Amino acid sequence: NEAKSANHGVRVFEPGMERHVEHGLTLLSDLRRAAEADEFFLLFQPKLRLRDGHCDAAEVLVRWRHPQRGVVPPDRFIPFAEQTGAIKAITRWVLQQSLRQLARWQREGQPELSLNVNVSTRDLMQPDFPAQVERALRQAGVSARHLCLEVTESAIMDDPLLAMDCLQALNRMGVRLAIDDFGTGYSSLAYLKRLPVQELKIDRSFISGLDRDEADVTIVRSTIDMAHHMGLSVVAEGIETEAVGQRLRAFGCDQAQGYLYSRPLPAADFMDWLRQHRDSAARLTQPA
Ligand code: C2E
Ligand code: MG
Ligand code: MG
Ligand code: MG
């Protein structure tokens, strides 16, 4: 229907859409099976301190290796999983695998490493979600302060009171919380002020044009100022050029993520990247 009206009555399907519609039920059962069949896998994107480039955190990003469709990016199945409720199983799987991987890395010489994991609205609306997180932490043997959960503004605004309960419980456990894609939702500053979050991630759409768009400069600078006044650490996502990175550093932005530093990487490649990154940073700070 949407495809029809946008194209003056001519039916146009994007690739995969037809199958998606006809086999929506197949996709759903595929999704439900995927976690058990080990079809999901995780990528890790480094998150750096802008001041000096130090890295001791990464964001976990899920992928689905579908037997027929190949690798499916999260934007193509997470929204569907949220509608159908399959997201709960996915989140549980992502959390367990992320924390297991983190525990391994911490044992293997990265004791201060932490991970950011994305969660969705449906997760926050589940009364037992904090208990589920606590269990995953305990089973992996990871301390809560090494986990940061990323929640979008719209997820919070879906049901602010329920979301607030959940975030407060997580906060009491010592789990860190981040607002993801900041600036794209409709959260009111009144709510923001009361949320027990520690990080604010400015959406990529405000970051990419920072070297040329004065409106973006104004938005980003005032967001950084506001966040700092509220005691939050500011993360800029989607940094692709040196010029943008430098501007953000000049504006006092705390942390950075983007293709400029690294694309999301498989676990082993992330560890290689991290060791190399630390080595070159050490070389730079050593006296000549
Ligand atoms: P997000 O949490 O805002 O993640 C950032 C997205 O930007 C990722 O896309 C990442 O690969 C991409 N990105 C990072 N740096 C750059 C850059 O410099 N340039 C550009 N163009 N893109 C960059 P990805 O991996 O496709 O994930 C898309 C969204 O899917 C995520 O947005 C998040 O909302 C959701 N998602 C990913 N993994 C999970 C998960 O495990 N659970 C849930 N619930 N959602 C997830
Ligand atoms: Mg995120
Ligand atoms: Mg984001
Ligand atoms: Mg996003």
Side-chain angles (χ1 to χ4, degrees), residues 78-151:
I78 293 286
F80 186 70
E82 278 171 349
Q83 283 168 30
T84 60
I87 190 69
K88 292 178 196 170
I90 297 176
T91 301
R92 197 176 315 121
W93 186 89
V94 170
L95 261 176
Q96 282 173 352
Q97 297 299 314
S98 301
L99 293 174
R100 245 178 244 171
Q101 179 62 71
L102 180 58
R104 226 173 291 139
W105 281 333
Q106 289 184 338
R107 281 196 304 272
E108 290 166 2
Q110 308 290 342
E112 281 313 312
L113 195 66
S114 65
L115 289 180
N116 279 40
V117 173
N118 293 284
V119 299
S120 75
T121 323
R122 284 291 277 261
D123 299 319
L124 296 185
M125 301 303 138
Q126 248 183 292
D128 69 337
F129 184 64
Q132 187 191 312
V133 173
E134 190 161 46
R135 203 175 319 123
L137 284 165
R138 187 163 15 88
Q139 281 169 357
V142 167
S143 81
R145 68 188 174 90
H146 288 123
L147 174 66
C148 178
L149 296 179
E150 298 193 0
V151 183

Side-chain angles (χ1 to χ4, degrees), residues 222-276:
S222 49
T223 303
I224 292 172
D225 281 352
M226 178 200 71
H228 282 167
H229 281 297
M230 292 165 60
L232 305 180
S233 176
V234 184
V235 188
E237 55 178 27
I239 301 171
E240 294 186 355
T241 67
E242 201 64 67
V244 168
Q246 270 162 17
R247 286 210 113 167
L248 284 162
R249 196 177 304 124
F251 297 162
C253 181
D254 304 285
Q255 302 178 70
Q257 265 180 272
Y259 295 169
L260 172 65
Y261 311 104
S262 171
R263 289 186 175 257
L265 300 168
D269 294 353
F270 169 65
M271 230 354 85
D272 289 345
W273 179 93
L274 188 63
R275 295 209 171 96
Q276 225 169 24

Side-chain angles (χ1 to χ4, degrees), residues 59 61 118 150 180-181 201 237:
E59 178 175 4
L61 296 157
N118 293 284
E150 298 193 0
D180 203 355
D181 302 345
K201 301 188 80 169
E237 55 178 27

